[in-house]
Short mmCIF file of all heavy atoms in Angstrom, two decimals:
data_model
loop_
_atom_site.label_atom_id
_atom_site.label_comp_id
_atom_site.label_asym_id
_atom_site.label_seq_id
_atom_site.Cartn_x
_atom_site.Cartn_y
_atom_site.Cartn_z
N MET A 1 84.68 92.58 111.16
CA MET A 1 83.40 93.27 111.37
C MET A 1 83.23 94.28 110.22
O MET A 1 84.12 95.03 109.90
CB MET A 1 83.35 93.94 112.72
CG MET A 1 82.00 94.59 112.99
SD MET A 1 81.88 95.33 114.64
CE MET A 1 81.84 93.86 115.62
N GLN A 2 82.01 94.31 109.73
CA GLN A 2 81.72 95.22 108.62
C GLN A 2 81.20 96.58 109.15
O GLN A 2 80.98 96.78 110.31
CB GLN A 2 80.67 94.61 107.69
CG GLN A 2 81.15 93.32 107.05
CD GLN A 2 80.15 92.76 106.11
OE1 GLN A 2 80.35 92.79 104.94
NE2 GLN A 2 79.01 92.34 106.61
N GLU A 3 81.07 97.46 108.21
CA GLU A 3 80.64 98.84 108.50
C GLU A 3 79.35 98.89 109.29
O GLU A 3 79.17 99.73 110.18
CB GLU A 3 80.47 99.56 107.17
CG GLU A 3 80.40 101.03 107.20
CD GLU A 3 80.48 101.60 105.80
OE1 GLU A 3 79.71 101.16 104.91
OE2 GLU A 3 81.35 102.44 105.59
N ASP A 4 78.40 97.96 108.97
CA ASP A 4 77.10 97.95 109.64
C ASP A 4 77.10 97.21 110.96
O ASP A 4 76.08 96.99 111.59
CB ASP A 4 76.04 97.39 108.70
CG ASP A 4 76.26 95.93 108.34
OD1 ASP A 4 77.22 95.32 108.83
OD2 ASP A 4 75.47 95.41 107.55
N GLY A 5 78.28 96.74 111.38
CA GLY A 5 78.41 96.02 112.67
C GLY A 5 78.23 94.51 112.52
O GLY A 5 78.47 93.78 113.48
N SER A 6 77.86 94.03 111.35
CA SER A 6 77.71 92.59 111.16
C SER A 6 79.11 91.96 111.03
O SER A 6 80.06 92.61 110.69
CB SER A 6 76.83 92.27 109.94
OG SER A 6 77.47 92.76 108.75
N ILE A 7 79.13 90.65 111.28
CA ILE A 7 80.42 89.93 111.26
C ILE A 7 80.38 88.96 110.13
O ILE A 7 79.40 88.25 109.87
CB ILE A 7 80.64 89.19 112.58
CG1 ILE A 7 80.73 90.22 113.76
CG2 ILE A 7 81.91 88.34 112.53
CD1 ILE A 7 80.75 89.57 115.10
N ARG A 8 81.49 88.88 109.38
CA ARG A 8 81.68 87.90 108.31
C ARG A 8 82.97 87.16 108.56
O ARG A 8 83.90 87.70 109.13
CB ARG A 8 81.75 88.60 106.94
CG ARG A 8 80.51 89.40 106.59
CD ARG A 8 79.43 88.55 106.10
NE ARG A 8 79.71 88.03 104.78
CZ ARG A 8 78.94 87.12 104.16
NH1 ARG A 8 77.86 86.70 104.77
NH2 ARG A 8 79.23 86.67 102.99
N ILE A 9 83.02 85.90 108.17
CA ILE A 9 84.23 85.15 108.22
C ILE A 9 84.67 84.87 106.77
O ILE A 9 83.88 84.41 105.95
CB ILE A 9 84.04 83.83 108.98
CG1 ILE A 9 83.79 84.14 110.46
CG2 ILE A 9 85.25 82.92 108.82
CD1 ILE A 9 83.54 82.94 111.31
N LEU A 10 85.95 85.15 106.49
CA LEU A 10 86.50 84.90 105.18
C LEU A 10 87.65 83.87 105.25
O LEU A 10 88.36 83.85 106.31
CB LEU A 10 87.10 86.19 104.56
CG LEU A 10 86.14 87.12 103.84
CD1 LEU A 10 85.21 87.81 104.78
CD2 LEU A 10 86.89 88.13 103.01
N ASP A 11 87.78 83.10 104.22
CA ASP A 11 88.98 82.25 104.12
C ASP A 11 90.19 83.15 104.17
O ASP A 11 90.16 84.25 103.61
CB ASP A 11 88.88 81.49 102.80
CG ASP A 11 89.92 80.39 102.70
OD1 ASP A 11 90.69 80.17 103.67
OD2 ASP A 11 89.98 79.72 101.63
N ASN A 12 91.23 82.70 104.85
CA ASN A 12 92.44 83.51 105.07
C ASN A 12 93.40 83.39 103.88
O ASN A 12 94.59 83.31 104.05
CB ASN A 12 93.09 83.15 106.37
CG ASN A 12 94.18 84.11 106.74
OD1 ASN A 12 94.15 85.29 106.40
ND2 ASN A 12 95.20 83.60 107.46
N LYS A 13 92.86 83.35 102.64
CA LYS A 13 93.74 83.09 101.50
C LYS A 13 93.26 83.97 100.34
O LYS A 13 92.20 83.71 99.76
CB LYS A 13 93.69 81.63 101.13
CG LYS A 13 94.74 81.17 100.24
CD LYS A 13 94.75 79.66 100.13
CE LYS A 13 95.91 79.19 99.28
NZ LYS A 13 95.98 77.73 99.21
N CYS A 14 93.99 84.98 100.03
CA CYS A 14 93.64 85.92 98.95
C CYS A 14 93.54 85.13 97.62
O CYS A 14 94.36 84.27 97.36
CB CYS A 14 94.71 86.97 98.83
SG CYS A 14 94.45 88.12 97.50
N PRO A 15 92.52 85.48 96.79
CA PRO A 15 92.37 84.79 95.50
C PRO A 15 93.48 85.13 94.49
O PRO A 15 93.60 84.46 93.49
CB PRO A 15 91.01 85.27 95.00
CG PRO A 15 90.73 86.53 95.71
CD PRO A 15 91.42 86.46 97.04
N HIS A 16 94.30 86.11 94.79
CA HIS A 16 95.39 86.44 93.89
C HIS A 16 96.54 85.46 94.02
O HIS A 16 96.69 84.58 93.21
CB HIS A 16 95.86 87.88 94.16
CG HIS A 16 96.97 88.34 93.26
ND1 HIS A 16 97.99 89.12 93.70
CD2 HIS A 16 97.23 88.09 91.95
CE1 HIS A 16 98.83 89.36 92.71
NE2 HIS A 16 98.38 88.75 91.61
N LYS A 17 97.30 85.57 95.11
CA LYS A 17 98.41 84.66 95.33
C LYS A 17 98.47 84.11 96.75
O LYS A 17 99.52 83.82 97.28
CB LYS A 17 99.75 85.33 94.99
CG LYS A 17 99.89 85.66 93.48
CD LYS A 17 101.26 86.18 93.15
CE LYS A 17 101.37 86.36 91.62
NZ LYS A 17 102.65 86.86 91.20
N GLY A 18 97.30 84.04 97.37
CA GLY A 18 97.19 83.37 98.66
C GLY A 18 97.64 84.21 99.85
O GLY A 18 97.94 83.67 100.91
N GLY A 19 97.69 85.50 99.68
CA GLY A 19 98.09 86.39 100.80
C GLY A 19 97.17 86.24 102.01
O GLY A 19 96.01 85.84 101.87
N PRO A 20 97.69 86.52 103.20
CA PRO A 20 96.90 86.35 104.45
C PRO A 20 95.94 87.51 104.65
O PRO A 20 96.31 88.57 105.16
CB PRO A 20 97.98 86.29 105.52
CG PRO A 20 99.10 87.17 104.96
CD PRO A 20 99.06 86.95 103.49
N LEU A 21 94.67 87.31 104.28
CA LEU A 21 93.71 88.41 104.42
C LEU A 21 93.49 88.82 105.88
O LEU A 21 93.10 89.94 106.13
CB LEU A 21 92.37 87.97 103.80
CG LEU A 21 92.41 87.76 102.28
CD1 LEU A 21 91.06 87.25 101.77
CD2 LEU A 21 92.85 89.03 101.56
N SER A 22 93.78 87.94 106.82
CA SER A 22 93.64 88.28 108.22
C SER A 22 94.59 89.41 108.65
O SER A 22 94.39 90.06 109.64
CB SER A 22 93.87 87.07 109.12
OG SER A 22 95.17 86.58 108.97
N GLU A 23 95.62 89.64 107.84
CA GLU A 23 96.57 90.70 108.11
C GLU A 23 96.30 91.95 107.28
O GLU A 23 97.08 92.91 107.32
CB GLU A 23 98.00 90.22 107.88
CG GLU A 23 98.39 89.06 108.78
CD GLU A 23 99.77 88.50 108.54
OE1 GLU A 23 100.62 89.19 107.95
OE2 GLU A 23 99.96 87.31 108.87
N GLY A 24 95.19 91.93 106.53
CA GLY A 24 94.84 93.06 105.69
C GLY A 24 94.12 94.16 106.49
O GLY A 24 93.79 93.99 107.63
N ILE A 25 93.96 95.27 105.80
CA ILE A 25 93.27 96.41 106.39
C ILE A 25 91.80 96.36 105.98
O ILE A 25 91.50 96.19 104.81
CB ILE A 25 93.91 97.72 105.95
CG1 ILE A 25 95.32 97.79 106.51
CG2 ILE A 25 93.07 98.92 106.39
CD1 ILE A 25 96.11 98.98 106.03
N VAL A 26 90.90 96.49 106.97
CA VAL A 26 89.44 96.51 106.70
C VAL A 26 88.98 97.97 106.64
O VAL A 26 89.33 98.78 107.50
CB VAL A 26 88.69 95.75 107.81
CG1 VAL A 26 87.20 95.92 107.64
CG2 VAL A 26 89.09 94.28 107.81
N SER A 27 88.24 98.25 105.58
CA SER A 27 87.62 99.57 105.44
C SER A 27 86.21 99.39 104.88
O SER A 27 86.07 98.81 103.78
CB SER A 27 88.46 100.43 104.46
OG SER A 27 87.86 101.68 104.27
N GLY A 28 85.24 99.80 105.64
CA GLY A 28 83.85 99.59 105.21
C GLY A 28 83.55 98.12 105.10
O GLY A 28 83.82 97.34 106.04
N ASN A 29 83.08 97.68 103.98
CA ASN A 29 82.75 96.28 103.73
C ASN A 29 83.83 95.53 102.97
O ASN A 29 83.56 94.49 102.36
CB ASN A 29 81.41 96.17 103.02
CG ASN A 29 80.28 96.65 103.86
OD1 ASN A 29 80.26 96.43 105.09
ND2 ASN A 29 79.32 97.35 103.23
N TYR A 30 85.07 96.08 102.96
CA TYR A 30 86.15 95.50 102.14
C TYR A 30 87.38 95.23 103.01
O TYR A 30 87.61 95.92 104.02
CB TYR A 30 86.51 96.47 101.01
CG TYR A 30 85.35 96.77 100.13
CD1 TYR A 30 84.56 97.92 100.34
CD2 TYR A 30 84.95 95.90 99.12
CE1 TYR A 30 83.46 98.21 99.58
CE2 TYR A 30 83.85 96.18 98.34
CZ TYR A 30 83.09 97.35 98.54
OH TYR A 30 82.00 97.62 97.80
N VAL A 31 88.09 94.25 102.58
CA VAL A 31 89.45 94.01 103.19
C VAL A 31 90.46 94.14 102.06
O VAL A 31 90.20 93.65 100.94
CB VAL A 31 89.50 92.65 103.89
CG1 VAL A 31 89.21 91.47 102.97
CG2 VAL A 31 90.87 92.48 104.60
N TYR A 32 91.57 94.78 102.39
CA TYR A 32 92.64 95.02 101.41
C TYR A 32 93.78 94.03 101.75
O TYR A 32 94.32 94.06 102.85
CB TYR A 32 93.14 96.45 101.44
CG TYR A 32 92.10 97.44 100.94
CD1 TYR A 32 91.09 97.87 101.80
CD2 TYR A 32 92.12 97.89 99.65
CE1 TYR A 32 90.11 98.72 101.35
CE2 TYR A 32 91.15 98.76 99.21
CZ TYR A 32 90.16 99.18 100.05
OH TYR A 32 89.19 100.05 99.58
N CYS A 33 94.13 93.20 100.77
CA CYS A 33 95.19 92.20 100.98
C CYS A 33 96.51 92.91 101.26
O CYS A 33 96.87 93.88 100.58
CB CYS A 33 95.29 91.33 99.74
SG CYS A 33 96.61 90.08 99.92
N PRO A 34 97.27 92.41 102.27
CA PRO A 34 98.50 93.08 102.63
C PRO A 34 99.62 92.89 101.62
O PRO A 34 100.63 93.59 101.66
CB PRO A 34 98.86 92.47 103.98
CG PRO A 34 98.25 91.10 103.93
CD PRO A 34 96.96 91.29 103.14
N LEU A 35 99.49 91.92 100.71
CA LEU A 35 100.60 91.66 99.77
C LEU A 35 100.59 92.61 98.54
O LEU A 35 101.60 93.21 98.25
CB LEU A 35 100.60 90.22 99.31
CG LEU A 35 100.88 89.18 100.43
CD1 LEU A 35 101.08 87.80 99.79
CD2 LEU A 35 102.06 89.58 101.27
N HIS A 36 99.44 92.68 97.86
CA HIS A 36 99.44 93.49 96.64
C HIS A 36 98.18 94.36 96.58
O HIS A 36 97.82 94.87 95.53
CB HIS A 36 99.45 92.56 95.38
CG HIS A 36 100.52 91.54 95.46
ND1 HIS A 36 100.23 90.21 95.75
CD2 HIS A 36 101.84 91.63 95.28
CE1 HIS A 36 101.38 89.49 95.74
NE2 HIS A 36 102.38 90.36 95.45
N ASP A 37 97.51 94.56 97.72
CA ASP A 37 96.43 95.52 97.88
C ASP A 37 95.19 95.22 97.09
O ASP A 37 94.42 96.12 96.78
CB ASP A 37 96.98 96.91 97.56
CG ASP A 37 96.15 98.00 98.27
OD1 ASP A 37 95.70 97.77 99.40
OD2 ASP A 37 96.00 99.10 97.68
N TRP A 38 94.96 93.95 96.73
CA TRP A 38 93.65 93.65 96.12
C TRP A 38 92.57 93.98 97.12
O TRP A 38 92.72 93.79 98.32
CB TRP A 38 93.57 92.19 95.74
CG TRP A 38 94.16 91.84 94.41
CD1 TRP A 38 95.17 92.51 93.76
CD2 TRP A 38 93.74 90.75 93.55
NE1 TRP A 38 95.45 91.89 92.57
CE2 TRP A 38 94.56 90.79 92.42
CE3 TRP A 38 92.80 89.76 93.66
CZ2 TRP A 38 94.44 89.90 91.40
CZ3 TRP A 38 92.67 88.83 92.64
CH2 TRP A 38 93.52 88.91 91.51
N LYS A 39 91.45 94.45 96.61
CA LYS A 39 90.29 94.84 97.43
C LYS A 39 89.26 93.71 97.33
O LYS A 39 88.81 93.36 96.22
CB LYS A 39 89.71 96.13 96.88
CG LYS A 39 88.49 96.67 97.63
CD LYS A 39 88.08 97.97 96.93
CE LYS A 39 86.84 98.60 97.61
NZ LYS A 39 86.43 99.81 96.91
N ILE A 40 88.90 93.11 98.47
CA ILE A 40 88.00 91.99 98.51
C ILE A 40 86.71 92.38 99.27
O ILE A 40 86.82 92.89 100.39
CB ILE A 40 88.63 90.76 99.22
CG1 ILE A 40 90.01 90.45 98.67
CG2 ILE A 40 87.69 89.55 99.19
CD1 ILE A 40 90.04 90.01 97.21
N CYS A 41 85.58 92.16 98.65
CA CYS A 41 84.30 92.44 99.30
C CYS A 41 84.03 91.39 100.35
O CYS A 41 84.05 90.19 100.08
CB CYS A 41 83.15 92.48 98.26
SG CYS A 41 81.52 92.74 98.99
N MET A 42 83.73 91.80 101.56
CA MET A 42 83.46 90.84 102.67
C MET A 42 82.04 90.31 102.60
O MET A 42 81.70 89.36 103.27
CB MET A 42 83.75 91.46 104.02
CG MET A 42 85.25 91.78 104.18
SD MET A 42 85.71 92.20 105.89
CE MET A 42 84.83 93.73 106.08
N LYS A 43 81.15 90.93 101.81
CA LYS A 43 79.78 90.42 101.66
C LYS A 43 79.73 89.30 100.65
O LYS A 43 79.02 88.32 100.84
CB LYS A 43 78.83 91.54 101.20
CG LYS A 43 78.51 92.53 102.32
CD LYS A 43 77.48 93.53 101.79
CE LYS A 43 77.14 94.56 102.82
NZ LYS A 43 76.23 94.10 103.82
N THR A 44 80.47 89.43 99.56
CA THR A 44 80.42 88.45 98.46
C THR A 44 81.69 87.61 98.31
O THR A 44 81.62 86.56 97.68
CB THR A 44 80.16 89.16 97.11
OG1 THR A 44 81.30 89.97 96.81
CG2 THR A 44 78.93 90.03 97.16
N GLY A 45 82.79 88.05 98.83
CA GLY A 45 84.06 87.41 98.67
C GLY A 45 84.74 87.69 97.35
O GLY A 45 85.77 87.12 97.03
N SER A 46 84.14 88.60 96.53
CA SER A 46 84.65 88.87 95.21
C SER A 46 85.72 89.92 95.18
O SER A 46 85.65 90.93 95.89
CB SER A 46 83.53 89.37 94.29
OG SER A 46 82.55 88.38 94.19
N ALA A 47 86.74 89.71 94.36
CA ALA A 47 87.76 90.74 94.14
C ALA A 47 87.10 91.90 93.39
O ALA A 47 86.19 91.71 92.57
CB ALA A 47 88.91 90.16 93.29
N GLN A 48 87.54 93.11 93.65
CA GLN A 48 86.93 94.31 93.10
C GLN A 48 87.90 95.00 92.10
O GLN A 48 89.06 94.62 92.00
CB GLN A 48 86.63 95.31 94.22
CG GLN A 48 85.76 94.73 95.33
CD GLN A 48 84.36 94.38 94.86
OE1 GLN A 48 83.62 95.27 94.46
NE2 GLN A 48 84.02 93.12 94.91
N GLY A 49 87.38 95.99 91.41
CA GLY A 49 88.20 96.86 90.58
C GLY A 49 88.83 96.18 89.40
O GLY A 49 89.96 96.52 89.03
N GLY A 50 88.16 95.23 88.77
CA GLY A 50 88.71 94.59 87.60
C GLY A 50 89.55 93.35 87.90
O GLY A 50 89.91 92.61 87.00
N ASP A 51 89.91 93.14 89.18
CA ASP A 51 90.64 91.91 89.55
C ASP A 51 89.63 90.74 89.58
O ASP A 51 88.47 90.94 89.89
CB ASP A 51 91.32 92.08 90.88
CG ASP A 51 92.46 93.14 90.84
OD1 ASP A 51 93.14 93.14 89.82
OD2 ASP A 51 92.57 93.90 91.79
N GLN A 52 90.11 89.58 89.25
CA GLN A 52 89.24 88.39 89.16
C GLN A 52 89.55 87.41 90.24
O GLN A 52 90.70 87.13 90.55
CB GLN A 52 89.47 87.71 87.78
CG GLN A 52 89.22 88.59 86.61
CD GLN A 52 87.75 88.95 86.44
OE1 GLN A 52 86.88 88.06 86.58
NE2 GLN A 52 87.46 90.19 86.15
N GLY A 53 88.50 86.88 90.89
CA GLY A 53 88.69 85.84 91.90
C GLY A 53 87.73 86.01 93.03
O GLY A 53 87.11 87.05 93.21
N ASN A 54 87.58 84.93 93.78
CA ASN A 54 86.67 84.94 94.94
C ASN A 54 87.35 84.20 96.09
O ASN A 54 88.19 83.31 95.87
CB ASN A 54 85.38 84.21 94.61
CG ASN A 54 84.48 85.01 93.72
OD1 ASN A 54 83.97 86.02 94.16
ND2 ASN A 54 84.34 84.58 92.50
N VAL A 55 86.91 84.58 97.27
CA VAL A 55 87.34 83.89 98.47
C VAL A 55 86.07 83.44 99.21
O VAL A 55 85.03 84.13 99.17
CB VAL A 55 88.21 84.84 99.39
CG1 VAL A 55 87.45 86.03 99.84
CG2 VAL A 55 88.81 84.08 100.55
N ALA A 56 86.14 82.26 99.82
CA ALA A 56 84.95 81.78 100.56
C ALA A 56 84.67 82.72 101.74
O ALA A 56 85.57 83.19 102.43
CB ALA A 56 85.22 80.37 101.07
N CYS A 57 83.38 83.02 101.90
CA CYS A 57 83.00 83.87 103.02
C CYS A 57 81.70 83.33 103.61
O CYS A 57 80.88 82.75 102.91
CB CYS A 57 82.85 85.33 102.59
SG CYS A 57 81.68 85.64 101.28
N PHE A 58 81.53 83.56 104.90
CA PHE A 58 80.41 82.94 105.64
C PHE A 58 79.75 83.96 106.54
O PHE A 58 80.39 84.85 107.10
CB PHE A 58 80.95 81.76 106.51
CG PHE A 58 81.75 80.79 105.70
CD1 PHE A 58 83.15 80.84 105.70
CD2 PHE A 58 81.15 79.81 104.96
CE1 PHE A 58 83.90 79.94 104.96
CE2 PHE A 58 81.87 78.88 104.22
CZ PHE A 58 83.26 78.99 104.22
N THR A 59 78.43 83.80 106.68
CA THR A 59 77.65 84.66 107.57
C THR A 59 77.78 84.15 109.00
O THR A 59 77.85 82.95 109.24
CB THR A 59 76.16 84.60 107.16
OG1 THR A 59 76.06 85.09 105.80
CG2 THR A 59 75.31 85.41 108.05
N VAL A 60 77.78 85.10 109.91
CA VAL A 60 77.92 84.81 111.33
C VAL A 60 76.78 85.44 112.08
O VAL A 60 76.36 86.58 111.80
CB VAL A 60 79.27 85.40 111.89
CG1 VAL A 60 79.36 85.17 113.35
CG2 VAL A 60 80.43 84.74 111.17
N GLU A 61 76.23 84.69 113.08
CA GLU A 61 75.26 85.28 113.98
C GLU A 61 75.76 85.11 115.42
O GLU A 61 76.30 84.05 115.77
CB GLU A 61 73.93 84.58 113.84
CG GLU A 61 73.11 85.05 112.62
CD GLU A 61 71.70 84.48 112.57
OE1 GLU A 61 71.22 83.96 113.62
OE2 GLU A 61 71.10 84.51 111.47
N VAL A 62 75.57 86.12 116.21
CA VAL A 62 75.98 86.09 117.59
C VAL A 62 74.70 86.18 118.45
O VAL A 62 73.93 87.10 118.30
CB VAL A 62 76.92 87.25 117.94
CG1 VAL A 62 77.31 87.20 119.43
CG2 VAL A 62 78.18 87.21 117.07
N GLU A 63 74.55 85.20 119.33
CA GLU A 63 73.42 85.18 120.28
C GLU A 63 73.97 85.01 121.66
O GLU A 63 74.39 83.91 122.03
CB GLU A 63 72.46 84.02 119.94
CG GLU A 63 71.71 84.24 118.63
CD GLU A 63 70.72 83.09 118.37
OE1 GLU A 63 70.43 82.32 119.31
OE2 GLU A 63 70.26 83.01 117.22
N GLY A 64 74.04 86.09 122.40
CA GLY A 64 74.64 86.03 123.73
C GLY A 64 76.11 85.64 123.65
O GLY A 64 76.89 86.31 122.94
N ASP A 65 76.47 84.56 124.30
CA ASP A 65 77.86 84.07 124.28
C ASP A 65 78.11 83.07 123.13
O ASP A 65 79.21 82.55 123.03
CB ASP A 65 78.23 83.43 125.62
CG ASP A 65 78.25 84.43 126.76
OD1 ASP A 65 78.49 85.62 126.47
OD2 ASP A 65 78.11 84.04 127.91
N ASP A 66 77.09 82.77 122.36
CA ASP A 66 77.21 81.77 121.30
C ASP A 66 77.43 82.46 119.96
O ASP A 66 76.80 83.47 119.63
CB ASP A 66 75.94 80.91 121.22
CG ASP A 66 75.76 80.12 122.51
OD1 ASP A 66 76.73 79.64 123.08
OD2 ASP A 66 74.58 79.99 122.93
N ILE A 67 78.32 81.88 119.15
CA ILE A 67 78.59 82.36 117.79
C ILE A 67 78.29 81.24 116.81
O ILE A 67 78.77 80.12 116.95
CB ILE A 67 80.08 82.73 117.66
CG1 ILE A 67 80.42 83.89 118.66
CG2 ILE A 67 80.42 83.16 116.25
CD1 ILE A 67 81.90 84.22 118.73
N TYR A 68 77.42 81.54 115.82
CA TYR A 68 77.04 80.58 114.82
C TYR A 68 77.61 80.99 113.49
O TYR A 68 77.46 82.12 113.04
CB TYR A 68 75.55 80.49 114.71
CG TYR A 68 74.86 80.04 116.01
CD1 TYR A 68 74.39 80.98 116.92
CD2 TYR A 68 74.74 78.69 116.30
CE1 TYR A 68 73.81 80.58 118.12
CE2 TYR A 68 74.14 78.27 117.48
CZ TYR A 68 73.68 79.23 118.39
OH TYR A 68 73.09 78.84 119.56
N VAL A 69 78.27 80.04 112.80
CA VAL A 69 78.85 80.27 111.47
C VAL A 69 78.05 79.43 110.51
O VAL A 69 77.95 78.20 110.68
CB VAL A 69 80.33 79.89 111.42
CG1 VAL A 69 80.88 80.11 110.01
CG2 VAL A 69 81.13 80.68 112.46
N PHE A 70 77.49 80.03 109.48
CA PHE A 70 76.67 79.37 108.49
C PHE A 70 77.55 78.97 107.30
O PHE A 70 77.93 79.83 106.51
CB PHE A 70 75.51 80.23 108.05
CG PHE A 70 74.55 80.48 109.20
CD1 PHE A 70 74.76 81.58 110.05
CD2 PHE A 70 73.51 79.59 109.44
CE1 PHE A 70 73.89 81.76 111.10
CE2 PHE A 70 72.64 79.83 110.52
CZ PHE A 70 72.84 80.90 111.36
N ILE A 71 77.86 77.67 107.25
CA ILE A 71 78.79 77.18 106.21
C ILE A 71 78.02 76.59 105.07
O ILE A 71 77.09 75.88 105.21
CB ILE A 71 79.74 76.13 106.82
CG1 ILE A 71 80.58 76.79 107.93
CG2 ILE A 71 80.62 75.50 105.76
CD1 ILE A 71 81.47 75.79 108.68
S1 LIG B 1 98.17 87.90 97.29
FE1 LIG B 1 96.56 89.25 97.77
S2 LIG B 1 96.77 90.81 96.38
FE2 LIG B 1 98.34 89.47 95.82
#
């Protein structure tokens, strides 16, 4: 979940060396990879701070008990 309450789904594979982003720390709109602390934007999937790479990310909508993932 992002800072604004919206939900994003990211591939669980860091663009650096495949670290498990699901085990990273989320702060604002970013997730920090637990292996080498790369900062990944959850809106764009892009590595930040001069690091290069992207991870697939998807928009999610929640309507009642239903969850829609836009792939
Ligand atoms: S594997 Fe994620 S920062 Fe290295």
Side-chain angles (χ1 to χ4, degrees):
M1 182 176 293
Q2 297 183 111
E3 196 170 51
D4 64 1
S6 64
I7 297 172
R8 299 282 289 173
I9 291 178
L10 276 69
D11 191 2
N12 189 29
K13 196 170 184 179
C14 177
H16 181 218
K17 292 188 176 180
L21 294 177
S22 63
E23 297 176 24
I25 293 174
V26 173
S27 177
N29 294 322
Y30 302 95
V31 58
Y32 293 81
C33 179
L35 295 191
H36 312 102
D37 206 33
W38 274 29
K39 181 180 180 183
I40 309 296
C41 176
M42 294 191 295
K43 286 184 182 281
T44 65
S46 299
Q48 306 293 298
D51 293 321
Q52 302 291 317
N54 286 291
V55 62
C57 57
F58 308 97
T59 299
V60 175
E61 282 186 17
V62 179
E63 291 182 14
D65 292 336
D66 297 321
I67 299 172
Y68 299 94
V69 179
F70 295 88
I71 298 176

